[in-house]
Amino acid sequence: MNDKLHTLLIRSFDASLDENERVQLQHALLEPEIRHERDRTVLLRTKIKETTATAFGPFFVQRVLQRLVSAHEEFRRWLLWGYRRVALIGAVIVLLLASYNMSKRDSVSLAAAFAQPEQTLEQVLRLEVPFQ
Amino acid sequence: MSHVSTTPDDQLIAAARSGSLEAFGKLVERYEGRVAATVIGMVGDCAEADDIGQEVFIRFYHAMGRFRGESKLETYLTRIAINLCLNELKRRKRHQFLFIRSASAPEAEASYQDPGHNQHEQKRIVDQALQELKPEFRSVIVLRLIDGYSTEETAHILNIPVGTVLSRLARAQEKLKQHLEPWISQIL
C-alpha cells in the first residue's frame, strides 16, 4: 500500500481532511487493500473503546472519603501532639526559672519564684510620692 | 446501578468547598468512570490504579480552592490523572532499572489466546497490548480513543502540538495492530 495513502487514511480518523485529500481518499477506498486497512483500524479503535474499564473496585467513593477524613484526623492529632509538647516544655522552663529564682533569693515564696522585688508598704508609698 | 446526582458540578464544588463531604462524594461518584478509564488505560488494571484514582480526587479536593472552572472538571481531573500515571510509569521504570536490570526481562510477547466472546479475555488482551506501548504513545491512545477527547483537547491536556498527537496516534495504532494482529485477522 502507498505510504502516503496509508498516512492519509489513518489521519482521516483524527483530523479533518481538505477537499483534495477527501477526494483522494474516496478514490483510494475503492481498492480492497485500503478498505481492508480501514476496517482493521475501525475494529481496533472499537475494541479499544469497548474493553475500557469504567470503574475502580467496589466502594471507591467511600475509600476516597475515608482517606480525606483520615487525613483531617491525622492533622488534628498532629496539632494536638505539637500543642502538648509545647505546653509541657513551657511548663518545665517556668518551673526551672522559678526554682532558680527561689534558690538565688534563698526564699520560698511566689514573689521569689517570679523574681518580684520584695518591698514593704512604706517603701512603695515612698516611691509613689518621691517629691514630697 | 447507583444513582448519580444531577446537581451541576459548580454547585457541588461550592458545597464541597464549604466542607460538605457528601457533595464531594457525589463528584467522585460522577467522575469515577472517566478517571478509571484514564488510569486503568495508562497503568493497567492493578492495585496501583486504585491508589492513583484515589489520589486524583484527593489532589482535586485540596486544589478545589484554586479551581476556577476555566476548563471542564472532567478535563481537569484527566490532566491530574495523566500526570500521576506518567509519574507512576517513571517510578516503575526506575524500579525495573534498579532491581530487575540483571534479570532477563521477559520478552514482550503477547500471550495470545483465542478471546472469543469472552469480554474479560478481550479486555486482558487489549490491556496487555496497551501496556506494551511507551507512555507517550499510550497517553494519546487513552485520551483520544478511550476517553474520546478530540485531537486538539488531547494536545492541550498533554501540552504538545496537534501534529505530535497525530503522529503518535498513527504510530501507536500501527504497534497495536501488530500486537493484536491474530485477533483482528480472526474477527475480520
Side-chain angles (χ1 to χ4, degrees), chain B:
Chain B
M1 190 177 155
S2 62
H3 169 73
V4 177
S5 155
T6 52
T7 316
D9 285 354
D10 51 355
Q11 281 181 29
L12 288 175
I13 291 171
R17 273 183 188 145
S18 312
S20 166
L21 277 182
E22 192 193 342
F24 188 72
K26 283 178 183 166
L27 286 170
V28 177
E29 193 180 352
R30 184 173 294 173
Y31 289 104
E32 178 191 344
R34 168 49 61 97
V35 172
T38 307
V39 173
I40 294 173
M42 284 296 288
V43 301
D45 201 352
C46 54
E48 288 91 347
D50 200 285
D51 289 342
I52 293 171
Q54 289 180 39
E55 190 60 28
V56 169
F57 289 104
I58 302 282
R59 296 239 175 148
F60 171 61
Y61 184 82
H62 293 302
M64 254 190 319
R66 297 191 298 276
F67 180 71
R68 298 269 167 263
E70 286 145 359
S71 59
K72 281 194 287 185
L73 178 54
E74 178 184 286
T75 312
Y76 190 81
L77 291 170
T78 303
R79 198 175 291 140
I80 299 176
I82 282 284
N83 287 334
L84 288 175
C85 289
L86 290 173
N87 289 345
E88 166 64 16
L89 295 173
K90 273 185 208 158
R91 191 194 65 77
R92 279 185 192 173
K93 197 176 171 186
R94 269 200 310 273
H95 185 268
Q96 207 170 10
F97 178 75
L98 287 172
F99 299 106
I100 323 176
R101 194 170 34 165
S102 54
S104 55
E107 194 54 42
E109 277 291 311
S111 59
Y112 177 76
Q113 291 167 22
D114 179 7
H117 296 291
N118 182 341
Q119 180 74 12
H120 182 73
E121 187 57 17
Q122 286 187 8
K123 192 187 164 324
R124 190 191 66 79
I125 288 173
V126 172
D127 199 34
Q128 193 178 2
L130 276 174
Q131 298 310 308
E132 295 299 330
L133 295 176
K134 284 183 178 172
E136 61 265 33
F137 293 109
R138 204 183 308 167
S139 54
V140 291
I141 290 288
V142 167
L143 292 174
R144 176 80 184 110
L145 303 191
I146 294 179
D147 290 347
Y149 285 109
S150 70
T151 316
E152 288 76 17
E153 285 170 326
T154 303
H156 181 65
I157 291 170
L158 294 173
N159 202 22
I160 54 175
V162 171
T164 309
V165 172
L166 289 173
S167 64
R168 284 184 187 175
L169 270 172
R171 287 178 65 189
Q173 284 177 99
E174 271 319 298
K175 284 182 188 297
L176 286 172
K177 277 178 200 164
Q178 284 168 17
H179 203 89
L180 299 170
E181 184 56 46
W183 185 30
I184 292 175
S185 303
Q186 192 188 49
I187 297 172
L188 279 177

Side-chain angles (χ1 to χ4, degrees), chain A residues 69-83:
Chain A
V69 171
S70 306
H72 281 148
E73 187 60 28
E74 187 75 11
F75 182 65
R76 203 186 64 81
R77 266 205 299 270
W78 179 81
L79 268 186
L80 197 64
W81 180 86
Y83 173 76

